[in-house]
Amino acid sequence: MQPGRAEKRWMYETMLLSRRYEEAIEKIYLEGKQPRFDMAAGPIPGEMHLSNGQEPCAVGVIAHLEAHDTVTATHRPHHQAIAKGVDLKEMTAEIFGKKAGLSGGRGGHMHLLDPRVNFVCSGIIAQGLGPALGAALSRTMQGKPGVAVAFIGEGAVNQGAFHETMNLAALWNLPLIVVVEDNAWGISVSKKDSTAVERNHVRAAAYGIPGHFVPDNDPIAIYDVAGEAIARARRGEGPTLIEIETDRLAGHFMGDAEQYRPEGEKDALFARDPIPRLRDQMLAAGELSAEDVASIDAAVARRIDEAVAFARESPYPEPSDALEHAFHPVT
Amino acid sequence: MPEEASTRKLTIARAMAEAIAQEMRVDERVFVMGEDIAALGGVFGNTRGLLDEFGDKRIRDTPISETAFMGAATGAAMDGMRPVVELMFVDFMGVCFDAIYNCMAKNVYFSGGSFKVPVVLMTSTGGGYSDAGQHSQCLYGSFAHLPGMKVVSPSNARDAKGLMTAAIRDDNPVVFMYHKGLQGMGWLGTEPAAIVPVPEETFTTPIGKAAVVREGSDVTIVGLAMGVHHGLRAAEQLAERGVSAEVLDLRSLVPLDREAIIASVAKTGRLIVVDEDYQSYGVTGEIIATVVEHDVRLLESSPQRVAYPDVPIPFSRPLEQFCLPNADKIVAAYDAMGH
Ligand SMILES: Cc1ncc(C[n+]2csc(CCOP(=O)(O)OP(=O)(O)O)c2C)c(N)n1
């Protein structure tokens, strides 16, 4: 399955938006945290997990999804949230802890929830899997259209929740796609030091479902494999496991000194940055012109400026708002 | 505990690592496992240096497989080892709690005392730095509620070293809960009063013994970990108004030093309990019940609690700060007692 020109352009534009967005967030995050890095300081306190380098996974899969399809994400959720169409202004306000944020500042960057586009995330490793399974189950029980996609890191494959979810999805033949973004690291622990098999897609065999491996962080190849899997799920033919080889260009979280990385690894990752690669391919194929590139750059910058300005200008919630919304009001 | 010969100050993180290293040197059975505890030295610094000294057979990074390695700690302990196992954030207990409370905590009992289960489960607690609702909880009460686990939580580095040594030598599961804001990791903010002189030689701090960290006669402030520091600051503020507050550092929740609590309240007649864990069904209620059950007439006014309200922990700074205990809230609790 190959993307059409408009889809390819959307993929490029969305990857760029995600990247530039995170570059903006990275700068703002450091405000108030220099020279001494104090996680509680500045306009964006708390942990910050950037997804730069992993954008192909989000766009290659989510290009096939509608707003009514469910996505569950992790502690590293920006690229998927942006691709799924979570409102960028409200998401940014949430990351700043502002009243106009998705949850009024209750969740923050690891807890971006948006029912309008069926997007949910959790900071507990592998705990997006069960809820995605449940969304897939609910669709089949209600006869509603839609599939569920759970994005996880390769570290999450070693959690019980992964195996329990895969078995149930296969047993009940549910429209669930599990996407493993293999960036080779779980914080400081490399995949080879945590995982008994070289490639995680082979684990699909344990559940009698298809498992695919997409090498080289290539959004077009991801689009192809994900398209087949999602079409299959929509036809009622059950779950698929997709493993994607991707790169974490940043530290685990901001402030991570990354001393565990072998010498030279970071340079090699930047040399194969997927965004300029896709741009150059599209330019060479005549699918983008230099003017297109410039106008996409400008459009992306404008959206980010607007979102950041919105977040900065929004007021903080009233402190006592903390006590609201532990329960849904009785209706 | 020996007299403080040394004036060498340590952070809690370093004190924990030192205690583990000293026990590992004299006891081959002690080993450490958990996530990012080897090359990284622990996200919160409490295993730094151990990999270099002891190698990767005894300092083992694990996959993100808490159910497996918590269960493995129990099994290894019952087979003669003395594992020190790390649950990076206490919030992650959710994925592995069966291995802890149904197995680790009960196998001494289920064996009629014939199995030893010498596991130390160390885990980080606490918020205040906007890490939101899955990375900021304390959950002291959840562990202390369930029988079969000793539970300790130091407020300073000297107690951290002594309690860690005692925990490793204990033949029962000991949950060692360290507050992130006290670890002395600069990026989490630092409570200078947690960084204290720590003797270089090995010593134990008895599990189940509270400490009076400030003597007073008008009101007793009971807390643990970060709550002790809020209590000390409140006591300073109260002293400026001529009120003499006694501050009791519980250090252990299980066993709970009920005598020390009762003795202090018998002296002051007033009780404020500080806890960063959720208010209801927790530590604060247990402390108050301890006094009331013993003799309600010890109390000259209704006891007060300064605890985390019963809502998930919000990310946004003003929201979280509104919820957290602090010295001003303790002083306000004192005023609310009516005098
Ligand atoms: C149950 C649980 N255990 C541990 C953690 C701490 N933790 C947060 S991210 C992370 C590494 C995750 O690695 P991976 O799943 O590969 O995702 P990546 O960070 O590489 O995106 C760990 C161990 C957690 N959040 N939840």
Side-chain angles (χ1 to χ4, degrees):
Chain A
M1 204 180 274
Q2 287 302 307
R5 190 169 167 162
E7 274 177 309
K8 229 169 155 176
R9 188 180 160 123
W10 175 85
M11 287 165 66
Y12 172 68
E13 188 163 349
T14 306
M15 293 210 300
L16 193 74
L17 176 63
S18 182
R19 177 67 59 85
R20 296 272 185 273
Y21 181 75
E22 291 206 328
E23 286 165 356
I25 292 290
E26 188 172 359
K27 266 220 201 91
I28 299 164
Y29 183 80
L30 289 173
E31 286 174 23
K33 296 190 183 71
Q34 285 167 325
R36 197 173 72 81
F37 185 78
D38 174 353
M39 203 173 253
I44 306 178
E47 290 185 56
M48 177 53 61
H49 310 83
L50 298 177
S51 62
N52 51 15
Q54 302 185 196
E55 301 90 347
C57 312
V59 300
V61 175
I62 295 174
H64 301 284
L65 300 183
E66 309 287 334
H68 67 248
D69 294 311
T70 291
V71 164
T72 67
T74 67
H75 56 288
R76 198 180 301 290
H78 297 165
H79 54 325
Q80 296 125 356
I82 287 171
K84 192 66 172 58
V86 173
D87 184 274
L88 198 66
K89 287 182 178 167
E90 291 180 23
M91 168 172 155
T92 310
E94 184 63 34
I95 291 170
F96 278 67
K98 297 296 185 75
K99 193 174 174 64
L102 291 165
S103 73
R106 289 176 184 77
H109 127 95
M110 273 192 278
H111 309 288
L112 304 169
L113 279 71
D114 188 349
R116 293 165 299 191
V117 294
N118 287 296
F119 186 84
V120 183
C121 51
S122 167
I124 305 295
I125 299 306
Q127 289 302 312
L129 287 154
L133 179 79
L137 172 64
S138 160
R139 295 307 158 88
T140 59
M141 291 179 75
Q142 297 185 74
K144 284 200 306 195
V147 301
V149 178
F151 287 93
I152 56 173
E154 86 291 340
V157 173
N158 298 318
Q159 275 280 353
F162 172 82
H163 302 278
E164 297 178 25
T165 299
M166 298 308 292
N167 181 60
L168 254 184
L171 184 72
W172 291 346
N173 197 43
L174 296 177
L176 175 72
I177 294 90
V178 174
V179 179
V180 180
E181 297 188 18
D182 179 355
N183 63 19
W185 292 97
I187 310 186
S188 71
V189 180
S190 72
K191 190 178 80 176
K192 81 173 162 30
D193 288 332
S194 69
T195 307
V197 289
E198 200 177 310
R199 298 254 63 107
N200 277 311
H201 71 285
V202 302
R203 299 187 195 243
Y207 311 103
I209 65 168
H212 302 288
F213 173 57
V214 186
D216 197 27
N217 209 17
D218 174 1
I220 306 302
I222 297 167
Y223 179 96
D224 179 24
V225 169
E228 299 294 343
I230 292 167
R232 189 173 174 277
R234 290 197 199 285
R235 290 194 303 268
E237 292 168 25
T240 301
L241 174 63
I242 300 173
E243 175 191 20
I244 300 170
E245 182 182 47
T246 191
D247 292 324
R248 191 187 86 198
L249 294 179
H252 169 70
F253 53 27
M254 287 195 64
D256 176 1
E258 296 185 84
Q259 280 152 337
Y260 48 82
R261 292 241 201 209
E263 192 76 36
E265 181 175 287
K266 282 301 271 289
D267 295 340
L269 301 191
F270 279 101
R272 57 176 196 244
D273 186 335
I275 296 180
R277 259 163 66 192
L278 180 63
R279 180 198 60 208
D280 294 348
Q281 277 168 24
M282 290 177 72
L283 282 168
E287 293 165 323
L288 271 185
S289 66
E291 296 79 70
D292 292 337
V293 170
S295 76
I296 290 172
D297 270 350
V300 158
R302 199 165 46 243
R303 283 193 65 189
I304 293 165
D305 287 348
E306 282 170 13
V308 168
F310 176 80
R312 283 204 196 268
E313 286 156 19
S314 302
Y316 280 103
E318 283 303 312
S320 61
D321 288 354
L323 303 180
E324 283 168 19
H325 297 306
F327 293 101
H328 205 278
V330 178
T331 44
Chain B
M1 198 185 62
E3 283 307 301
E4 276 158 36
S6 108
T7 52
R8 178 198 63 149
K9 288 186 172 183
L10 291 183
T11 61
I12 288 184
R14 290 207 175 277
M16 289 171 71
E18 182 170 284
I20 297 167
Q22 288 179 339
E23 289 307 289
M24 287 186 74
R25 281 178 210 135
V26 296
D27 189 342
E28 275 295 318
R29 300 168 301 174
V30 180
F31 73 103
V32 186
M33 63 181 161
E35 290 155 22
D36 303 280
I37 55 97
L40 196 70
V43 172
F44 306 111
N46 42 311
T47 55
R48 205 161 281 175
L50 298 182
L51 177 68
D52 287 344
E53 181 173 352
F54 300 104
D56 61 7
K57 293 279 175 292
R58 294 180 74 195
I59 305 295
R60 307 180 81 100
D61 267 340
T62 61
I64 312 168
S65 305
E66 288 90 353
T67 288
F69 70 74
M70 283 298 160
T74 302
M78 294 168 69
D79 196 51
M81 300 295 281
R82 302 188 82 82
V84 177
V85 63
E86 163 130 315
L87 181 63
M88 189 190 292
F89 289 71
V90 73
D91 314 67
F92 307 162
M93 77 170 194
V95 300
C96 58
F97 210 48
D98 192 76
I100 298 168
Y101 90 107
N102 257 336
C103 196
M104 183 188 292
K106 291 180 180 167
N107 278 354
V108 172
Y109 189 80
F110 287 160
S111 68
S114 55
F115 265 117
K116 297 174 181 173
V117 188
V119 177
V120 180
L121 193 178
M122 52 183 180
T123 188
S124 76
T125 65
Y129 62 102
S130 288
D131 214 357
Q134 296 176 341
H135 291 78
S136 303
Q137 298 171 96
C138 285
L139 304 179
Y140 301 127
S142 305
F143 284 85
H145 176 64
L146 294 156
M149 292 172 272
K150 298 187 179 180
V151 179
V152 302
S153 189
S155 69
N156 64 66
R158 187 180 52 243
D159 288 347
K161 181 172 175 184
L163 286 169
M164 178 57 79
T165 306
I168 294 171
R169 294 180 188 175
D170 202 293
D171 284 334
N172 296 285
V174 179
V175 183
F176 187 105
M177 306 179 87
Y178 57 92
H179 193 290
K180 282 166 265 170
L182 301 179
Q183 277 301 88
M185 309 290 280
W187 55 280
L188 285 168
T190 299
E191 169 55 66
I195 303 170
V196 298
V198 179
E200 302 200 17
E201 65 275 20
T202 294
F203 65 93
T204 58
T205 299
I207 296 175
K209 277 265 165 280
V212 175
V213 290
R214 180 181 172 120
E215 292 204 32
S217 52
D218 297 330
V219 57
T220 297
I221 302 171
V222 175
L224 76 156
M226 188 60 97
V228 173
H229 298 283
H230 297 316
L232 287 168
R233 274 188 283 273
E236 281 296 320
Q237 290 185 30
L238 289 168
E240 284 166 22
R241 293 166 35 184
V243 177
S244 163
E246 177 146 304
V247 181
L248 188 68
D249 180 351
L250 289 174
R251 303 197 292 194
S252 300
L253 289 177
V254 181
L256 180 62
D257 192 348
R258 296 184 200 270
E259 276 125 58
I261 298 164
I262 290 165
S264 180
V265 177
K267 183 166 73 167
T268 64
R270 295 183 198 282
L271 172 62
I272 301 171
V273 192
V274 188
D275 185 18
E276 198 183 314
D277 196 4
Y278 304 117
Q279 172 156 315
S280 297
Y281 303 97
V283 171
T284 53
E286 184 62 29
I287 304 298
I288 291 168
T290 295
V291 173
V292 171
E293 274 180 342
H294 173 75
D295 184 353
V296 71
R297 291 163 303 181
L298 293 184
L299 291 165
E300 289 164 27
S301 61
S302 300
Q304 301 284 318
R305 39 186 172 171
V306 177
Y308 204 93
D310 297 325
V311 292
I313 297 171
F315 159 74
S316 180
R317 192 161 173 83
L319 300 183
E320 188 190 16
Q321 296 302 318
F322 174 80
C323 293
L324 285 167
N326 59 39
D328 291 343
K329 289 186 185 181
I330 298 169
V331 172
Y334 177 77
D335 290 336
M337 288 174 144
H339 304 280

